[in-house]
Amino acid sequence: MEVLELIRWSQPEDPEWKPGEMGEFGHWMRAFSCAAILRVEQEPWNYKYNDGSTDSTTIQLMFSLEALPVDVSREAVRHLAWLILKSDPEGREKLKDESVREYGVALFWFALHLRPQTEDQDLISLAEWTVKRADELRWDSSIAEFSGLRQMVIRCQERSAWELFGVRLSEVDLSDRSSDLQTWVRLIAEQLLD
C-alpha cells in the first residue's frame, strides 16, 4: 500500500518527480495505483488509511485515465458506479461517506464521454443526485457558505487539479446535447471553481 500511495502522488508530466515514471507509462502506473487504492477501501479489505485523500486519489485517477492512449471511459464508469454503491450513497449508515461526492463527479465526467452517448436525462439525474448528496455532506462548518462540491475542492490536497478539471468540464462541447444538460455541466463546473 505504501508503494501504491506514493505512486498515487506522482506527476507523470514532471521529469523531476520521483518516485514514478514520466509520460504514458507513468500515467498507467498512477491510474493502476489510484484504482487499486479506491478499490481496497471497500469490502472485503476495508482499508481506511488513505489519509483522507479519496478526493485526491479520484482526481489523480481521472487525469491519468484521460492521458492514456485508449478510451477506458466504460471501465471507469463501471468502477465508479460500483464504488458509489459500496459507499453508502444514500447515507443510511450513521457514518457519512463523503467519497460519493468525488465518485459522482468522476462518474458524471466519464459517462458524459461514453459512446454511444448516455441519454441526457440519465446524466441530468446523476448530476442532480451528485450535487444534492454533496450539499447534504457539508461537514466543515468553517466553510459552510460554500456548496458541498466546493467544500470538497477547498479541503482537497489536489485542489488545483479539481479546479483545472472544473475548467475542462466547462469547456466540453455540448452543442449537440440538451440545454438542461448544458446547465448542469456549467453548474458543476462553477461549483468546482468558485
Side-chain angles (χ1 to χ4, degrees):
M1 281 306 296
E2 287 180 29
V3 172
L4 293 174
E5 289 170 348
L6 281 172
I7 298 301
R8 175 250 327 262
W9 296 117
S10 69
Q11 299 296 328
E13 303 82 25
D14 183 353
E16 303 299 316
W17 185 269
K18 298 294 179 211
E21 296 288 329
M22 271 196 60
E24 181 184 324
F25 186 67
H27 281 292
W28 279 109
M29 288 176 57
R30 189 171 75 178
F32 173 83
S33 296
C34 291
I37 290 167
L38 296 176
R39 172 60 185 94
V40 300
E41 288 181 342
Q42 308 305 323
E43 293 179 6
W45 300 284
N46 294 318
Y47 181 78
K48 299 298 182 196
Y49 305 101
N50 189 11
D51 59 13
S53 298
T54 303
D55 46 11
S56 296
T57 305
T58 303
I59 193 66
Q60 295 285 76
L61 173 65
M62 291 168 65
F63 278 128
S64 280
L65 291 178
E66 286 290 308
L68 297 178
V70 295
D71 181 7
V72 293
S73 296
R74 192 158 307 285
E75 291 77 12
V77 163
R78 286 185 195 121
H79 186 67
L80 290 159
W82 184 88
L83 287 169
I84 287 173
L85 291 173
K86 293 295 183 178
S87 299
D88 188 26
E90 298 303 324
R92 288 181 287 273
E93 301 295 322
K94 296 218 185 275
L95 178 67
K96 287 186 176 180
D97 185 348
E98 68 266 5
S99 300
V100 298
R101 296 183 293 198
E102 51 265 24
Y103 296 158
V105 172
L107 177 59
F108 182 73
W109 172 256
F110 287 108
L112 191 60
H113 291 86
L114 285 177
R115 296 294 176 252
Q117 288 184 342
T118 305
E119 294 291 327
D120 285 8
Q121 190 52 53
D122 293 338
L123 289 167
I124 291 167
S125 295
L126 174 59
E128 289 174 340
W129 179 85
T130 299
V131 169
K132 177 183 176 207
R133 289 299 294 140
D135 286 343
E136 291 171 353
L137 291 168
R138 293 181 185 188
W139 53 273
D140 188 338
S141 60
S142 68
I143 54 175
E145 70 272 17
F146 296 103
S147 71
L149 289 178
R150 187 63 191 155
Q151 284 188 20
M152 173 193 73
V153 172
I154 290 169
R155 291 292 182 201
C156 181
Q157 292 173 310
E158 292 292 327
R159 178 179 180 168
S160 62
W162 277 107
E163 290 170 341
L164 176 60
F165 171 74
V167 170
R168 288 180 64 191
L169 182 60
S170 71
E171 294 172 346
V172 172
D173 178 13
L174 298 171
S175 57
D176 63 335
R177 307 303 287 262
S178 72
S179 61
D180 286 346
L181 179 58
Q182 292 176 31
T183 300
W184 277 101
V185 168
R186 278 193 309 273
L187 174 76
I188 290 174
E190 289 168 4
Q191 287 191 17
L192 296 172
L193 290 168
D194 291 334

